[in-house]
Amino acid sequence: MSARRLRGLGAAAALALALTACGGGDDAATEVVTDAKFPAGSSMAKFNEAGTIKIGTKFDQPGIGAKKPGADAPEGFDPEMAKIVAAKLGIEPDKIKWVETVSDNREPFLQNGTVDLVFASYSITDERRQVVGQAGPYYVTGQQLLVAKDDDSIKGPDDLEGKKVCSVEGSTSIKTVEEEYGANPAPFATYSECVQQLLSGSVDAVTTDGAILLGYTAENPDKLKVVGDAFSEERYGIGFKKDDTKLCNFLNETLEASFEDGSWQEAFDQTLGEAGVEAPEAPTVDPCE
Ligand code: GLU
C-alpha cells in the first residue's frame, strides 16, 4: 500500500491496519511456508504432513505465555516464537494444539509425547539436557525478586536468609534461592499461585526470571515491585525429544533466521516489550550435539 493511500485512511483505520499487520502473524517473516520440503522420516516431515503440532507453553505468565479465559490460544513471546517455528513447518497458527505445561511437567510431557515442542520460559540446563533436547537459546534473562510495593526489607537475594520465598516446583529459580541464598522456600505449581500468596501476605517474596515478574507487576503496579539486579542467567530454549539432532538443527536454523529477518524482534516487541521488559540482543545458539 502506498504512503499516499495510507495517509488517505482515517487514523483509526490506519492504526487498526497496523495492529493487524503486527498481531496477525501474516507479515512476510512469519508467513506459513506452503511448499516446505523435509527429509523423509524426519520429525519435520511428520509435523508437516500432519499439518498440526502439539506445543507446550505457559498459560499463566503474562507477556511470556498467558491464556485468557475462553480464548482459543495463549498470547505472549513464547507462543509467538512457536508460531514462527510452526510457520516454517507449513502449519497455520490455528492448527497448533496448545497444551499447558507447568515448570515441573515439561520434561515428562516431552518424554511421553504429550507435547512435541516446549516453549515455556524453559531455561537450558545440563541437567535437563540429560533427559530432553533443548535448542537455542532464543532469549536470555535472569532471576529476580518480586515483593510487596511497601516492603523495604528485601532489596536483593542477600536479604533472603530465613525469608519465606515462593517459587515453582521443578524450576531453576527455587533451586537457586534455596541452595545459594538460604531462603525458606514455599513451593507451588505455578507463579500465578505464588503471586496470590504474596498479595495475601503469606510469603515475603516471589522469585523467578525478571521477564516473568515484570509481567505480573504490570498487572498490579500499585501492590508489587521487582527489586535488585538479576542473580542468575536463564537461557530460554525450545524443548524437544532427546537425540533428535535433525530437529535440533532445524530449530536452531529457524531461530537464526528469525533473528535475521526481524520476526524474533517483532515477537518480542509485541509481547514482553509491551510489558516494559528491556529489548534483548539476539543470542547465539548452542551447536546441536
Ligand atoms: N526459566 C526458569 C526455568 O526454566 C524459571 C521459569 C520457569 O519455571 O518456567 O526453570
Side-chain angles (χ1 to χ4, degrees):
M1 186 178 298
S2 72
R4 209 163 116 227
R5 166 100 177 81
L6 259 180
R7 271 199 303 276
L9 286 171
L15 181 67
L17 189 77
L19 287 175
T20 325
C22 286
D26 53 359
D27 45 308
T30 49
E31 211 167 276
V32 175
V33 179
T34 49
D35 55 356
K37 295 265 177 301
F38 298 105
S42 65
S43 298
M44 294 82 82
K46 197 187 89 190
F47 299 138
N48 175 254
E49 277 151 31
T52 181
I53 188 163
K54 293 172 283 185
I55 304 280
T57 196
K58 297 294 182 93
F59 279 9
D60 72 322
Q61 295 178 190
I64 301 266
K67 192 157 168 285
K68 295 199 180 106
D72 291 332
E75 290 171 7
F77 184 48
D78 279 338
E80 286 308 314
M81 289 307 298
K83 284 184 222 168
I84 290 172
V85 169
K88 287 276 191 277
L89 290 164
I91 300 169
E92 300 282 345
D94 63 351
K95 294 289 184 312
I96 296 173
K97 185 168 185 300
W98 301 102
V99 179
E100 181 176 19
T101 45
V102 295
S103 300
D104 209 25
N105 64 19
R106 292 173 294 196
E107 290 86 20
F109 274 21
L110 283 168
Q111 287 170 311
N112 67 23
T114 304
V115 297
D116 299 308
L117 299 176
V118 163
F119 291 75
S121 55
Y122 197 21
S123 299
I124 297 173
T125 69
D126 291 344
E127 212 178 323
R128 289 174 180 163
R129 275 188 171 157
Q130 303 287 317
V131 289
V132 296
Q134 291 185 303
Y138 59 89
Y139 180 56
V140 182
T141 177
Q143 181 169 359
Q144 284 180 285
L145 298 169
L146 183 72
V147 297
K149 189 114 196 207
D150 57 3
D151 180 353
D152 289 326
S153 71
I154 300 175
K155 298 198 171 67
D158 295 329
D159 301 325
L160 293 182
E161 182 88 47
K163 297 269 189 194
K164 203 160 174 199
V165 182
C166 193
S167 197
V168 164
E169 287 151 355
S171 68
T172 52
S173 325
I174 199 160
K175 238 174 135 182
T176 304
V177 281
E178 193 177 6
E179 290 174 7
E180 295 179 29
Y181 295 98
N184 172 15
F188 278 79
T190 62
Y191 296 107
S192 51
E193 287 172 279
C194 279
V195 172
Q196 288 314 312
Q197 295 296 310
L198 180 62
L199 288 169
S200 70
S202 32
V203 300
D204 301 307
V206 175
T207 189
T208 187
D209 308 335
I212 301 174
L213 297 178
L214 282 169
Y216 293 122
T217 315
E219 287 193 326
N220 245 319
D222 300 336
K223 298 200 175 111
L224 303 172
K225 64 180 177 190
V226 175
V227 290
D229 294 332
F231 53 96
S232 75
E233 187 182 66
E234 308 297 325
R235 302 161 67 245
Y236 288 5
I238 308 172
F240 59 94
K241 218 177 212 168
K242 192 171 156 49
D243 296 330
D244 194 339
T245 310
K246 282 199 185 101
L247 181 57
C248 180
N249 282 315
F250 162 80
L251 293 170
N252 272 351
E253 282 159 22
T254 303
L255 288 178
E256 281 173 334
S258 78
F259 301 157
E260 292 282 310
D261 68 16
S263 52
W264 170 79
Q265 186 69 52
E266 197 181 347
F268 185 88
D269 292 346
Q270 291 166 20
T271 56
L272 286 172
E274 292 276 316
V277 183
E278 211 178 302
E281 300 261 318
T284 304
V285 300
D286 298 343
C288 297
E289 307 262 281

